[in-house]
Amino acid sequence: MLVCQILKSKAPEVVSVTPSQTMVEVLRLFRENNIGFVVVSRFPGDCMGTLSERDCCNAVAEHGTKAPLMRVAEIMNRGVATCSTQDLLPSVMAIMTERRTRHVLVVDGRTIVGVVSIGDLVKHRLEELMTNEQVLYDYIAGTGYH
């Protein structure tokens, strides 16, 4: 399965924040949108970095009670993991494993077209496995043929 197929089943919007926002503002955004990852940008289409729930936890562990009021620019991840719309699911899984990240930005050239999360990959892989299981069951049972 290609990344572009996964994106078709998702909302196309990529949530972004500015580098001057505080961590607590971003955490509120996470809660309001039921997300755990944002792109950090100065203007639409720009990508200075990303911020995830894990990055926020790491900031609290490192900076303590000062972390919630720190600016996103101070705690964001600058090493952004990316893939293309034509990458296969196992390739993106390898990126996540190698980079130890749960989110990968999907780019088409230099344009961000979406985000793929580990949850998206698990969902689609599970659907593939269930379909394969049903095909095998129908084959063994001799059903499903016309």
Side-chain angles (χ1 to χ4, degrees):
M1 173 174 282
L2 296 173
V3 170
C4 61
Q5 293 169 294
I6 293 172
L7 290 180
K8 286 179 185 175
S9 66
K10 294 183 58 156
E13 150 184 351
V14 176
V15 179
S16 65
V17 297
T18 65
S20 62
Q21 287 181 266
T22 63
M23 184 177 84
V24 74
E25 290 173 322
V26 175
L27 291 173
R28 287 185 183 122
L29 184 70
F30 285 172
R31 185 185 64 210
E32 291 165 6
N33 291 282
N34 195 29
I35 59 174
F37 177 86
V38 291
V39 172
V40 181
S41 62
R42 290 178 293 250
F43 52 85
D46 177 43
C47 180
M48 297 175 60
T50 61
L51 190 69
S52 69
E53 292 167 321
R54 181 181 288 174
D55 297 324
C56 294
C57 288
N58 289 339
V60 170
E62 185 175 339
H63 302 285
T65 57
K66 295 177 184 175
L69 298 178
M70 291 179 74
R71 302 290 171 199
V72 168
E74 299 173 271
I75 58 175
M76 70 183 183
N77 177 11
R78 296 176 196 284
V80 179
T82 63
C83 67
S84 85
T85 56
Q86 298 305 304
D87 281 340
L88 294 169
L89 188 132
S91 174
V92 178
M93 293 167 99
I95 292 168
M96 287 180 174
T97 301
E98 180 182 311
R99 301 286 300 274
R100 298 187 52 80
T101 185
R102 296 173 161 269
H103 301 87
V104 175
L105 284 182
V106 183
V107 294
D108 185 9
R110 294 186 52 88
T111 305
I112 298 169
V113 295
V115 175
V116 176
S117 73
I118 195 166
D120 297 328
L121 298 183
V122 168
K123 175 186 172 194
H124 287 279
R125 186 68 181 122
L126 181 60
E127 288 171 2
E128 285 178 342
L129 291 171
M130 291 173 69
T131 298
N132 290 344
E133 182 179 331
Q134 186 62 49
V135 167
L136 288 172
Y137 177 81
D138 290 344
Y139 175 75
I140 292 167
T143 60
Y145 299 101
H146 303 298

